[in-house]
């Protein structure tokens, strides 16, 4: 008779636990990275029946036990999500940086190239009125505009690089923080598992931290049989068991290009994810663009200075150099008294009224070998500037296309992971109804046993 | 696939973001009127569009120079037409002077007229355009008379050039030495000839007058040749101006085809994007379906 009470109470306990899990699931239905928890209920081990004469009355049921509270988690969905997250972090960093970078030349038709057009046209105007001081000043101003546009472009590239460097340094701080979280959680989880608990919410917290690490640095993970997770960047451990290894962010002196190294031994790190994207843009794409701009600046300087030297200025002496500076960051029109309006070599013969050499200067616009790029290709100054724009555009468009592709894959990986791990409120409601009924029935069992005991104790033999 | 609360929200968010991005894109194109705003909008087309706009700027400069070339050539043409008219009158005077029946008093009057015409021609030869001598090359004054009465060309042989097309220049001046006969043997330039004509009229030397008339004819021919050259140059410049105008039109058209939006097409696209966005909004509103919880009491 008492065993019926026991069976009833085991059912009460098991159904309560199941209702509790369903409520926890409903409460966390919208929490990012929460995995649905299910209560695994099984029949309790029966006890052998007592002998009645030469027959046994069979095995006696002992009710129900809660075996475990499991976390619904699909490792495959996790690793699919994480590889997309790393790719998306990388592509996102590149896309935003390059989108900013394409602003350095201004708009397509009114930007840097139109400044250059104005410069060449100012020589045409000068050739028509070689003795006009205003026309000579116009050439100086238009030249300075071109030089300033090139200088501004490099200043903006520097700014973009330094902004990327500060993003990297913020990211590295987050990575270090997350890595030590993972290491601590590894220890706590190990302790909990050793004492036979299922630390589901801690496992979720660790997975969330690893998700973030993947987005930031494209880490890979390895889980051992005890449930300890090791985290790697490349082949090196970021987390090993309960130990984490810090990263240090820095910048290359002079260029300001961000760097990331292991705090322990100072060796460099080649991470993926968001910081990988920033490092790629700042160490490859932006320096390439910058060296193209430098080629343009040097080509412009040499073409104009050489042609200047071949002509005669207002006083009949050979033309003075026009541009100074060795790259796009330093190019400038030479200041008076070394270069004044009167020192522009508009004259071929030396006569003040002769504006024919200004035509040669204006014709530099179609000098197709003025600029030599690093790969040996040659172009006119205008086309070279356009090549920089085209390169910027192609890089930004490519990065943007990649980013929207990774974004889509990430969303779908997220969805299929949520589909495997997430909470469906309807399912929980069904469980609630199911266990509510089971609970009522178990209560009924207890009250029936109670009535039976009452009959036995109080009403027998009265 | 198992549907959970979060998967519904992910789909909702995805749909809304994507269709709103499209609306923003079409709106940017509509409001700027340009298909290509940034270099990344269509990198190859952007490079071509930029090249077209540089060519437009170049041609604008060439057109400006061609207009200036025209000003020079027209002014020179006008000046030489007036020289030509004067020389016809001088020829009539010389013919009259040779007539033996003419009295010396009349010859003196003719000589005075020749001298005043010569002064007029000198002014014409030193015509300025702006602050520049029209017939003096790079110099300032084309023709000067020394204190001893001799005439000389004080300009130089500088060619004033104008760039009127890509790598195409045209000289817009004729040096006075060529126009006014300073390349002929000494004393046979236009002004010395007129001086000699006046002197011979005063002395009544008809033989010398006949010789003067010969030299005068040669100078008239020089001016005629110069007018012919100017006419040819004017033709060339105006042909180039026509070419420039049509080239600029073509480039503008091409650039517009490449970088401007087709309003009808863009309006349609924006409409479609907006419809898509509204559909996504409606779907989002409807996907917030009631759950089982709503039906349990």
């Amino acid at each position: 008779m008492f065993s019926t009470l026991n069976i009833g109470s085991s059912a009460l306990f098991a159904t309560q636990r199941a209702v509790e899990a369903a409520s926890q699931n409903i409460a966390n239905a919208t929490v990012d990275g929460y995995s649905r928890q299910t209560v695994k209920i099984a029949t309790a081990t029966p006890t052998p029946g007592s002998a009645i004469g030469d027959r046994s009355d069979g095995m006696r049921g002992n009710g129900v036990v809660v075996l475990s509270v499991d976390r619904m988690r699909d490792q495959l969905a996790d690793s699919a999500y994480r590889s997309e997250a790393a790719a998306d972090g990388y592509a996102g960093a590149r896309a935003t940086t390059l989108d900013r970078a394409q602003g350095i030349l201004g708009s397509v038709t009114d930007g840097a190239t139109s400044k250059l057009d104005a410069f060449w046209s100012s020589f045409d105007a000068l050739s028509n009125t070689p003795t006009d001081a205003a026309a000579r000043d116009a050439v100086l101003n238009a030249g300075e505009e071109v030089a300033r546009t090139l200088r501004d472009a490099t200043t903006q590239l520097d700014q973009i690089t330094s902004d990327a460097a500060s993003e990297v340094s913020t990211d590295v701080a987050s990575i270090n923080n997350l890595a030590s979280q993972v290491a601590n959680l590894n220890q706590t989880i190990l302790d909990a598992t050793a004492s036979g608990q299922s630390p589901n919410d801690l496992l979720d917290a660790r997975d969330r931290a690893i998700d973030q690490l993947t987005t930031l640095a494209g880490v890979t993970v390895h889980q051992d049989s005890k449930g300890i997770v090791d985290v790697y960047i490349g082949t090196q451990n970021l987390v090993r068991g309960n130990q984490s290894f810090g990263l240090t962010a820095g910048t290359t002196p002079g260029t300001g290009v961000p760097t990331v190294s292991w705090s322990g031994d100072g060796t460099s790190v080649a991470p993926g994810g968001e910081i990988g994207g920033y490092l790629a843009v700042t160490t490859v794409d932006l320096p390439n663009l910058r060296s193209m701009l430098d080629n343009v600046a040097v080509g412009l300087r040499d073409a104009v200075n050489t042609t200047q030297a071949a002509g005669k200025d207002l006083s009949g002496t050979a033309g003075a150099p026009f541009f100074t500076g060795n790259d796009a960051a330093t190019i400038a029109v030479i200041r008076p008294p070394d270069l004044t309006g009167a020192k522009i070599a508009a004259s071929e013969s030396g006569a003040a009224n002769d504006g024919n050499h200004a035509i040669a200067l204006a014709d530099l616009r179609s000098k197709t070998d003025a600029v030599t790029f690093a790969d040996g290709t040659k172009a006119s100054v205008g086309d070279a500037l356009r090549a920089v724009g085209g390169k910027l555009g192609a890089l930004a468009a490519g990065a943007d296309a990649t980013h929207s592709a990774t974004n889509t894959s990430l969303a779908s990986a997220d969805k299929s992971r949520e589909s495997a791990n997430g909470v469906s409120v309807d399912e929980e409601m069904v469980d609630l109804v199911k266990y509510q009924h089971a609970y009522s029935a178990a209560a009924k069992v207890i009250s029936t046993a109670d009535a039976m005991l009452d009959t036995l104790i109080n009403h027998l033999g009265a | 696939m198992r549907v959970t609360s979060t998967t519904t929200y992910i789909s909702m968010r995805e749909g809304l973001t994507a269709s709103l991005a499209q609306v923003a894109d079409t709106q940017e194109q509509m409001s700027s009127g340009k298909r290509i705003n940034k270099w990344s909008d269509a990198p190859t087309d952007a490079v071509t569009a930029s090249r077209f706009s540089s060519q437009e700027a170049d041609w604008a400069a060439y057109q400006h120079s061609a207009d200036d070339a025209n000003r020079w050539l027209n002014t020179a043409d006008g000046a030489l037409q007036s020289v030509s008219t004067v020389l016809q009158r001088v020829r009539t005077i010389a013919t009259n002077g040779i007539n033996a029946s003419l009295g010396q008093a009349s010859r003196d009057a003719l000589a005075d007229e020749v001298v005043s015409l010569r002064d007029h021609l000198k002014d014409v030869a030193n015509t300025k355009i702006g602050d520049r001598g029209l017939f003096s090359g790079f110099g300032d004054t084309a023709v000067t008379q020394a204190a001893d009465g001799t005439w000389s060309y004080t300009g130089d042989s500088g060619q004033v050039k104008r760039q009127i097309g890509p790598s195409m220049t045209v000289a817009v001046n004729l040096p006075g030495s060529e126009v006014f006969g300073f390349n002929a043997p000494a004393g046979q330039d236009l002004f010395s000839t007129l001086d000699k004509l006046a002197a011979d009229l005063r002395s009544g030397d008809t033989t010398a007058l006949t010789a003067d008339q010969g030299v005068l004819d040669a100078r008239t021919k020089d001016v005629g040749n110069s007018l012919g050259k100017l006419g040819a140059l004017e033709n060339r410049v105006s042909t180039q101006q026509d070419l420039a105008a049509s080239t600029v039109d073509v480039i503008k058209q091409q650039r517009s085809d490449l970088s401007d939006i087709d309003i009808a097409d863009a309006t349609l696209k924006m409409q479609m994007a907006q419809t898509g966005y509204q559909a996504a909004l409606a779907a989002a509103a409807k996907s917030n379906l009631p759950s089982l919880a709503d039906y349990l009491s």
Side-chain angles (χ1 to χ4, degrees):
Chain A
M1 188 60 74
F2 290 106
S3 67
T4 312
L5 271 179
N6 282 337
I7 293 173
S9 77
S10 78
L12 277 184
F13 173 74
T15 45
Q16 265 179 25
R17 189 75 186 82
V19 167
E20 189 186 307
S23 343
Q24 170 79 349
N25 285 340
I26 291 172
N28 286 289
T30 54
V31 172
D32 223 20
Y34 177 79
S35 319
R36 185 186 181 213
Q37 297 181 7
T38 49
V39 177
K40 204 187 252 173
I41 295 171
T43 313
T45 323
T47 40
S50 50
I52 302 171
D54 58 347
R55 292 172 55 205
S56 156
D57 63 349
M59 297 279 251
R60 285 276 187 74
N62 272 332
V64 64
V65 287
V66 173
L67 283 185
S68 59
V69 181
D70 290 340
R71 201 167 69 112
M72 275 180 55
R73 195 81 192 180
D74 181 345
Q75 301 283 349
L76 265 179
D78 264 344
S79 72
Y81 173 84
R82 283 177 191 154
S83 75
E84 294 301 342
D88 188 58
Y90 182 90
R94 275 195 87 217
T96 34
T97 313
L98 287 171
D99 188 49
R100 267 187 74 194
Q102 70 168 320
I104 61 169
L105 291 183
S107 91
V108 173
T109 46
D110 308 321
T113 48
S114 72
K115 299 266 167 43
L116 190 66
D117 295 339
F119 179 50
W120 301 135
S121 297
S122 72
F123 280 120
D124 278 312
L126 176 61
S127 79
N128 294 343
T129 51
T131 49
D132 183 1
R136 286 176 180 271
D137 284 346
V139 170
L140 293 180
N141 290 336
E144 187 51 38
E145 274 291 300
V146 174
R148 207 183 54 217
T149 306
L150 287 170
R151 290 199 304 270
D152 283 354
T154 59
T155 314
Q156 288 182 51
L157 283 179
D158 284 344
Q159 186 59 46
I160 293 166
T161 307
S162 93
D163 288 351
S166 63
E167 287 286 342
V168 167
S169 124
T170 316
D171 284 354
V172 162
S174 314
I175 289 167
N176 289 339
N177 183 20
L178 288 164
S180 75
Q181 275 181 36
V182 171
N184 289 338
L185 282 165
N186 269 341
Q187 186 60 52
T188 324
I189 288 167
L190 185 68
D191 294 347
T193 329
S195 59
Q197 301 169 15
S198 30
N200 290 337
D201 295 333
L202 298 180
L203 290 171
D204 279 351
R206 189 176 65 185
D207 279 334
R208 262 194 294 269
I210 293 173
D211 283 354
Q212 281 176 277
L213 278 176
T214 320
T215 309
L216 289 174
V219 299
T220 50
V221 292
H222 175 258
Q223 186 162 5
D224 71 7
S225 55
K226 285 185 232 152
I228 299 293
V229 167
D230 286 345
V231 182
Y232 299 88
I233 295 179
T235 54
Q236 293 211 55
N237 275 97
L238 180 66
V239 177
R240 187 194 299 134
N242 59 3
Q243 257 187 301
S244 69
F245 303 87
L247 297 178
T248 306
T251 51
T252 312
T255 59
V257 173
T259 56
V260 179
S261 55
W262 292 103
S263 304
D265 57 5
T267 52
S268 74
V269 187
E274 194 174 298
I275 54 173
Y278 283 124
L279 291 180
V281 167
T282 48
T283 51
V284 180
D285 299 322
L286 298 186
N288 275 349
L289 289 165
R290 206 190 160 114
S291 90
M292 284 176 89
L293 282 175
D294 288 346
N295 294 146
V296 172
V298 168
L300 174 68
R301 178 199 69 190
D302 290 350
V304 174
N305 287 0
T306 312
T307 312
Q308 266 279 113
K312 304 259 169 49
D313 67 14
L314 200 54
S315 62
T317 47
F322 192 90
F323 284 113
T324 172
N326 293 320
D327 50 27
T330 52
I331 188 167
V333 172
I334 293 170
R335 306 235 155 249
D338 296 324
L339 181 74
T340 56
K343 290 196 175 183
I344 295 170
S347 173
E348 210 166 62
S349 58
N353 281 332
D354 180 0
N356 294 347
H357 198 68
I359 295 178
L361 284 160
D363 255 353
L364 288 175
R365 62 158 72 97
S366 45
K367 181 176 159 59
T368 51
D369 60 350
V371 176
T372 310
F373 284 123
D375 61 0
T377 52
K378 289 175 192 292
S380 68
V381 181
D383 280 348
L385 211 48
R386 270 185 276 281
V388 179
K391 174 107 178 165
L392 270 171
L395 279 173
D400 193 52
T402 314
H403 185 216
S404 57
T406 55
N407 226 328
T408 313
S409 328
L410 180 66
S412 99
D414 194 17
K415 223 155 87 175
S416 60
R417 186 168 76 154
E418 278 301 332
S419 163
N421 305 344
V423 175
S424 157
V425 174
D426 285 347
E427 276 175 3
E428 304 309 322
M429 293 312 290
V430 170
D431 277 2
L432 271 183
V433 173
K434 187 168 94 182
Y435 291 115
Q436 193 190 3
H437 282 297
Y439 186 85
S440 308
K444 188 72 186 164
V445 167
I446 289 176
S447 76
T448 306
D450 180 48
M452 287 164 76
L453 280 171
D454 182 53
T455 309
L456 191 67
I457 296 166
N458 297 327
H459 303 286
L460 267 185
Chain B
M1 187 164 121
R2 184 166 163 261
V3 177
T4 68
S5 312
T6 317
T7 55
T8 328
Y9 295 128
I10 293 174
S11 308
M12 207 189 282
R13 192 185 56 208
E14 234 185 323
L16 285 178
T17 330
S19 47
L20 187 58
Q22 235 170 19
V23 171
D25 231 32
T26 50
Q27 259 171 0
E28 193 193 346
Q29 290 194 356
M30 277 293 274
S31 58
S32 69
K34 287 195 161 68
R35 189 171 73 85
I36 298 172
N37 286 302
K38 296 184 290 186
W39 288 94
S40 63
D41 287 341
T44 323
D45 288 351
V47 169
T48 316
S50 159
R51 186 172 296 123
F52 283 154
S53 93
S54 288
Q55 283 172 358
E56 270 179 62
D58 292 349
W59 278 100
Y62 299 150
Q63 277 179 309
H64 189 76
S65 295
D67 289 346
D68 193 56
N70 242 345
R71 214 156 52 85
W72 274 74
L73 292 171
N74 286 339
T75 314
D77 194 290
L80 289 194
Q81 293 289 359
S82 101
V83 170
S84 186
T85 315
V86 167
L87 288 183
Q88 273 171 24
R89 173 64 193 149
V90 173
R91 194 183 152 76
T92 316
I93 291 172
T95 314
N96 287 346
I98 291 168
N99 190 344
S101 62
L102 200 67
Q104 189 55 40
S106 306
R107 284 213 178 90
D108 286 347
L110 288 177
D112 288 345
E113 191 182 347
V114 168
V115 168
S116 85
L117 287 174
R118 181 208 68 194
D119 288 344
H120 171 66
L121 284 185
K122 182 190 166 198
D123 288 345
V124 172
N126 289 334
T127 307
K128 300 229 167 196
I129 180 161
D131 58 350
R132 306 278 305 270
L134 197 56
F135 297 107
S136 55
F138 297 140
D140 290 326
T141 314
V143 175
T144 38
Q145 186 175 26
D148 65 358
T150 54
W151 292 89
S152 58
Y153 175 63
T154 46
D156 58 24
S157 58
Q159 286 193 311
V160 177
K161 286 183 188 162
R162 293 290 174 261
Q163 184 164 33
I164 56 173
S167 308
M168 183 191 284
T169 55
V170 57
V172 294
N173 69 328
L174 293 174
S177 51
E178 182 186 316
V179 180
F180 301 109
F182 285 97
N183 295 340
Q188 294 201 7
D189 64 85
L190 183 59
F191 300 93
S192 308
T193 309
L194 290 182
D195 275 351
K196 184 152 182 301
L197 183 67
D200 291 340
L201 279 171
R202 286 189 216 285
S203 64
D205 185 345
T206 51
T207 328
L209 280 175
T210 312
D212 291 344
Q213 205 171 29
V215 177
L216 202 59
D217 284 348
R219 294 295 78 82
T220 310
K221 216 173 132 198
D222 283 351
V223 172
N225 285 344
S226 299
L227 272 170
K229 280 186 188 170
L230 282 177
L233 287 172
E234 277 175 297
N235 270 338
R236 192 164 158 217
V237 170
S238 73
T239 312
Q240 186 63 21
Q241 276 179 314
D242 291 346
L243 179 67
S246 64
T247 310
V248 167
D249 282 349
V250 170
I251 295 172
K252 276 200 173 122
Q253 184 60 46
Q254 282 176 332
R255 181 164 70 91
S256 162
D257 286 350
L258 199 63
S259 63
D260 292 352
I261 55 160
D262 175 346
I263 297 286
D265 187 48
T267 316
L268 201 65
K269 274 191 184 142
M270 185 159 89
Q271 194 59 51
M272 274 162 61
Q274 276 173 348
T275 311
Y277 182 54
Q278 276 163 4
L281 279 176
K286 289 224 170 83
S287 67
N288 211 357
L289 287 174
S291 78
L292 189 54
D294 296 297
Y295 297 97
L296 292 174
S297 51

